[in-house]
């Protein structure tokens, strides 16, 4: 879908997500269970807070800037204008989440913060090397979408950007502050996007023409065009995944799956694979399955 094509609004809006006992999955939580069932439990059922990281927080700031960029008139959507939005976006986020100040608690001369802000500005400027935001209007930004499958499983998520061309073709866009994955890991990266494509297809009857991941760190992108058959296969896969989650909930058995990713996990102290003990299993585990916008963004980058 060329950038020069005009885009118009596509209505996928839904009511704000709320706590619910309806079985539900988001892309990040589904990926958590596939990676490590115990990680899924800690994040989705126990809801144990995780320490903020500078990389994830920077990604949140960059997402905020790219969302707000389209509030400007097309002619004002420039690299300098976007870079100038980084510091205000950080201050706004800090007001919403004062605990993030701990990231720079020892930065007495603000040198670390200044360098961090410059790195965020660099990522924002890199975006303009991938497309020209003055040439189109998104149909949706940071948009919450959901659908309920015939099985009763509710799929939920936030889409960074949604474009629709005059002929009705839909493009789903996701910004990544990291680098593009190697070819062997592209399927894992596309899982999130196919998840969104399934929601859109079930909601509108239209299979997105293109899924686009934009990697700002190395100025690269990954595009893919799904079809109905593979989205049907994904629906069956998610049904089987939820059945496995339900079994784990009933048996209270969420086993760790050690891997190299454990090096970056906040939960080693309570993980049996590292000699830890998980907390007591919650009395009402399904009450904690609602999608959370901030953790979706943080863990998807």
């Amino acid at each position: 879908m060329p950038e020069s094509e005009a885009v118009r609004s596509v209505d996928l809006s839904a009511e704000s997500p709320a706590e619910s006992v309806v079985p539900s999955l988001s892309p990040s939580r589904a990926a958590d269970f596939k990676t490590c069932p115990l990680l899924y439990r800690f994040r989705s059922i126990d809801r144990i807070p995780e320490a903020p990281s500078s990389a994830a927080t920077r990604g949140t700031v960059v997402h905020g800037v790219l969302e707000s960029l389209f509030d400007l008139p097309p002619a004002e959507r420039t690299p300098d204008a976007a870079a100038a939005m980084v510091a205000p976006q950080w201050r706004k986020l800090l007001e919403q989440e004062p605990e993030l100040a701990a990231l720079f608690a020892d930065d007495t001369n603000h040198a670390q913060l200044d360098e961090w802000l410059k790195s965020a500005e660099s990522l924002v400027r890199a975006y303009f090397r991938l497309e020209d935001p003055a040439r189109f209007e998104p149909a949706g930004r940071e948009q919450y979408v959901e659908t309920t499958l015939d099985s009763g499983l509710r799929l939920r998520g936030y889409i960074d950007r949604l474009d629709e061309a005059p002929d009705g073709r839909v493009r789903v866009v996701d910004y990544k502050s990291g680098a593009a994955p190697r070819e062997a890991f592209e399927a894992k990266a596309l899982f999130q996007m196919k998840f969104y494509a399934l929601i859109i297809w079930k909601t509108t009857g239209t299979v997105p023409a293109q899924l686009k991941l934009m990697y700002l760190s190395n100025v690269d992108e990954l595009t893919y065009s799904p079809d109905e058959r593979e989205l049907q296969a994904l629906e069956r896969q998610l049904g089987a995944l939820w059945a496995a989650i339900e079994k784990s909930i009933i048996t209270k058995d969420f086993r760790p799956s050690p891997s190299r990713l454990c090096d970056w996990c906040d939960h080693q102290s309570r993980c049996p694979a590292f000699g830890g003990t998980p907390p007591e299993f919650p009395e009402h585990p399904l009450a904690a399955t609602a999608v959370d916008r901030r953790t979706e963004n943080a863990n998807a980058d």
Side-chain angles (χ1 to χ4, degrees):
M1 189 180 301
E3 296 169 11
S4 58
E5 289 186 342
V7 290
R8 55 187 170 80
S9 175
V10 56
D11 185 10
L12 281 178
S13 59
E15 293 182 1
S16 178
E19 294 292 343
S20 172
V21 295
V22 177
S24 66
L25 274 178
S26 69
S28 291
R29 299 295 78 81
D32 284 345
F33 190 84
K34 292 170 66 176
T35 299
C36 174
L38 186 59
L39 177 63
Y40 171 90
R41 179 197 152 171
F42 287 151
R43 284 179 171 169
S44 187
I45 296 178
D46 297 300
R47 288 292 180 94
I48 298 173
E50 298 180 352
S53 72
S54 60
T57 304
R58 181 179 60 185
T60 300
V61 169
V62 170
H63 274 76
V65 169
L66 296 181
E67 177 187 3
S68 300
L69 180 65
F70 290 96
D71 290 333
L72 299 176
E76 297 179 19
R77 297 170 192 166
T78 65
D80 287 344
M85 298 168 70
V86 168
Q89 185 66 35
W90 160 242
R91 290 193 293 269
K92 178 182 177 181
L93 182 61
L94 192 58
E95 289 178 1
Q96 296 170 346
E97 302 181 41
E99 64 273 16
L100 293 177
L103 290 171
F104 304 101
D106 300 326
D107 185 24
T108 55
N109 61 359
H110 303 295
Q112 292 179 15
L113 175 59
D114 289 344
E115 188 64 26
W116 183 81
L117 290 173
K118 287 179 181 178
S119 69
E121 291 176 7
S122 178
L123 291 174
V124 168
R125 289 183 181 276
Y127 161 75
F128 289 82
R129 296 167 60 187
L130 293 170
E131 66 181 5
D132 181 0
R135 299 173 65 182
F136 64 96
E137 295 294 335
R141 291 173 281 156
E142 288 292 329
Q143 189 160 339
Y144 173 74
V145 292
E146 73 168 49
T147 191
T148 301
L149 304 179
D150 292 341
S151 63
L153 176 62
R154 181 181 298 172
L155 306 182
R156 302 175 168 189
Y158 281 96
I159 295 175
D160 284 350
R161 200 182 82 213
L162 196 64
D163 303 335
E164 188 181 8
D167 62 3
R169 288 180 298 153
V170 173
R171 174 171 63 189
V172 181
V173 179
D174 195 77
Y175 308 119
K176 297 295 184 185
S177 56
R182 296 192 300 273
E183 186 175 352
F185 297 96
E186 286 183 356
K188 183 177 180 179
L190 284 170
F191 172 78
Q192 172 193 8
M193 304 301 283
K194 292 179 181 180
F195 192 107
Y196 294 145
L198 177 58
I199 295 179
I200 293 172
W201 177 45
K202 288 293 185 178
T203 305
T204 68
T206 299
V207 175
Q210 185 182 86
L211 310 177
K212 185 175 183 179
L213 285 155
M214 304 180 73
Y215 293 93
L216 306 181
S217 180
N218 60 344
V219 194
D220 200 357
E221 61 185 30
L222 174 61
T223 60
Y224 187 80
S225 296
D227 57 40
E228 286 191 13
R229 185 168 59 181
E230 64 182 317
L231 294 185
Q232 289 170 343
L234 177 61
E235 181 176 358
R236 293 191 295 270
Q237 178 187 348
L238 292 175
L241 183 67
W242 182 255
I245 292 174
E246 282 190 314
K247 181 178 179 180
S248 292
I249 291 173
I250 292 171
T251 60
K252 301 181 180 180
D253 183 12
F254 287 83
R255 300 184 182 182
S257 181
S259 72
R260 293 167 123 190
L261 297 176
C262 294
D263 293 341
W264 293 276
C265 184
D266 275 13
H267 304 288
Q268 287 190 14
S269 64
R270 59 183 66 89
C271 177
F274 293 88
T277 302
E280 185 177 350
F281 200 76
E283 183 178 355
H284 302 292
L286 286 183
T289 57
V291 66
D292 182 274
R293 179 180 183 180
R294 286 284 289 110
T295 59
E296 281 299 303
N297 286 344
N299 292 300
D301 275 334

